[in-house]
Amino acid sequence: MEVVDVSVLKSITRPEVFEFEGISMVNFFTENWENVQKFQARPDDILLATYPKAGNTWVSYILDLLYFSSAAPERETSVPIFIRVPFLESIFPGMPSGVELADNLLTKPRIIKTHLPIQLVPKSFWEQNCKVVYVARNAKDNAVSYFHFERMNKGQPDPGDWNTFLQMFMEGKKVFGPWYDHVCGYWEKKQTYSNLHYMFFEDMVEDTWREVERLNSFLGLTTSSKERERITKRIHFDAMKQNNMTNYSTDPVMDNTISPFMRKGKVGDWKDHFTVAQNEQFDEHYKQKMKNTTLQFRTEI
Ligand code: A3P
């Protein structure tokens, strides 16, 4: 991973949160803003958009395997997923920015990750009619996963205790803004932009291959039964947890001993975190925030 200067990256300190373009942000996602906004998408680019912790790494890896695993098997053991699939708006010290990584990607298509809410996606993706894959995860599990992620990741603000985190999540003050607007924004876009495939983390856990087939059909791909067997093994939670190219063990900003990046990969883990009172408060607030959408989530399967 010679593109990363580990000692520089390792020395970063937790960022402050500030208001930026109407949402909460940190400098690591705003300092390259001009280049992000004028990013030149190509017609065959695939944009993989998610709220943080909704399963971006999982689907990044699936897309990478679907397109490139047979053509370039050496990528599998030598290139971490966060280099293969650049994180567009990111700019961390000691590492090329997401825009630089994307500009220098030699793959066709380029698979590009973003956490930006719909209104901040660079306009060239729409102008080029790029395929967009969105993955959404139910708010309760998403919040729990985000809380543990902030604990272990120095690139994020300190989450405080669980209750503090949860209140901020509900207020929409977490980095990348309100979960509610994020999932609904892409859901609404899908109604008018046919090149958007909307997926759910819960469906992936329930039947991963069914969802991969849906993705294949959106992308116009087919996989042989041999490929299916190979890919299925690799994208299992336990395999990705063991795989240093997908488990973020090579990212010096993250401390997997505090909480592993590949933490549980479950639906319903929120039940071990929410108190009865927190759950009631959350449900009441959720009803209000989501009253104008047809979007439905499952919090258990
Ligand atoms: P948990 O913290 O609940 O375990 P992202 O990649 O968007 O940051 O999302 C990370 C979440 O996706 C984590 O959730 C992680 O464990 C889960 N995840 C990643 N790969 C997975 C897989 N193969 N199967 C199930 N969950 C997976």
Side-chain angles (χ1 to χ4, degrees), residues 250-270:
T250 60
D251 184 337
V253 169
M254 302 192 192
D255 186 344
N256 278 278
T257 62
I258 296 176
S259 175
F261 181 88
M262 297 290 301
R263 197 181 58 89
K264 286 194 180 167
K266 294 227 150 66
V267 179
D269 185 41
W270 62 271

Side-chain angles (χ1 to χ4, degrees), residues 20-298:
F20 181 83
E21 299 281 341
I23 58 167
S24 295
M25 278 295 229
V26 294
N27 59 337
F28 301 130
F29 308 125
T30 62
E31 280 179 353
N32 201 26
W33 196 244
E34 217 174 293
N35 291 324
V36 170
Q37 286 301 293
K38 60 176 204 239
F39 178 73
Q40 279 308 306
R42 300 177 195 152
D44 60 351
D45 284 345
I46 297 171
L47 184 69
L48 173 59
T50 63
Y51 193 71
K53 311 316 292 173
N56 199 301
T57 312
W58 196 2
V59 178
S60 289
Y61 190 46
I62 291 172
L63 288 169
D64 185 77
L65 289 171
L66 289 174
Y67 279 104
F68 309 122
S69 67
S70 39
E74 71 287 350
R75 282 159 67 78
E76 265 302 290
T77 50
S78 61
V79 188
I81 194 69
F82 54 87
I83 303 291
R84 289 185 223 175
V85 177
F87 182 4
L88 187 63
E89 57 273 22
S90 71
I91 180 156
F92 287 95
M95 200 178 152
S97 69
V99 169
E100 274 174 90
L101 285 171
D103 281 341
N104 291 320
L105 264 190
L106 297 174
T107 56
K108 257 173 149 324
R110 301 185 298 184
I111 302 161
I112 298 170
K113 157 183 171 176
T114 187
H115 288 322
L116 292 172
I118 192 90
Q119 72 277 15
L120 299 182
V121 169
K123 65 177 187 320
S124 64
F125 285 100
W126 313 121
E127 287 165 355
Q128 298 292 337
N129 197 32
C130 295
K131 290 198 165 68
V132 178
V133 176
Y134 187 77
V135 189
R137 185 177 192 181
N138 81 75
K140 292 178 183 177
D141 283 327
N142 205 141
V144 168
S145 182
Y146 205 173
F147 169 65
H148 291 294
F149 183 64
E150 287 201 334
R151 291 173 53 231
M152 60 84 80
N153 183 354
K154 273 201 300 177
Q156 291 282 333
D158 193 316
D161 64 17
W162 163 241
N163 194 52
T164 306
F165 178 93
L166 186 61
Q167 299 308 316
M168 284 184 73
F169 181 92
M170 289 165 60
E171 287 164 28
K173 301 251 171 72
K174 287 284 122 194
V175 180
F176 290 106
W179 174 92
Y180 312 90
D181 296 354
H182 208 284
V183 295
C184 291
Y186 282 88
W187 182 251
E188 274 152 34
K189 182 78 181 177
K190 177 183 141 68
Q191 316 309 320
T192 54
Y193 186 82
S194 58
N195 252 356
L196 196 157
H197 181 62
Y198 202 104
M199 305 174 67
F200 294 92
F201 182 92
E202 294 72 29
D203 293 348
M204 299 271 300
V205 172
E206 184 177 66
D207 187 342
T208 310
W209 197 259
R210 181 191 63 206
E211 296 309 309
V212 174
E213 288 288 29
R214 287 181 178 160
L215 193 55
N216 264 339
S217 116
F218 169 69
L219 299 168
L221 298 176
T222 47
T223 39
S224 66
S225 55
K226 209 165 139 208
E227 278 170 324
R228 171 183 171 157
E229 204 182 309
R230 206 182 51 216
I231 293 174
T232 302
K233 270 192 214 139
R234 291 187 184 164
I235 62 178
H236 192 274
F237 178 82
D238 298 335
M240 285 184 64
K241 191 177 170 78
Q242 294 306 317
N243 181 347
N244 288 341
M245 297 299 114
T246 57
N247 64 13
Y248 277 86
S249 58
T250 60
D251 184 337
V253 169
M254 302 192 192
D255 186 344
N256 278 278
T257 62
I258 296 176
S259 175
F261 181 88
M262 297 290 301
R263 197 181 58 89
K264 286 194 180 167
K266 294 227 150 66
V267 179
D269 185 41
W270 62 271
K271 292 178 190 166
D272 287 337
H273 289 75
F274 282 65
T275 63
V276 172
Q278 282 168 343
N279 196 34
E280 281 171 4
Q281 184 205 10
F282 194 91
D283 284 346
E284 198 48 48
H285 178 259
Y286 188 92
K287 235 190 280 165
Q288 284 305 313
K289 297 298 284 184
M290 302 293 277
K291 67 171 188 264
N292 292 326
T293 182
T294 53
L295 181 57
Q296 300 281 331
F297 284 89
R298 292 189 287 168

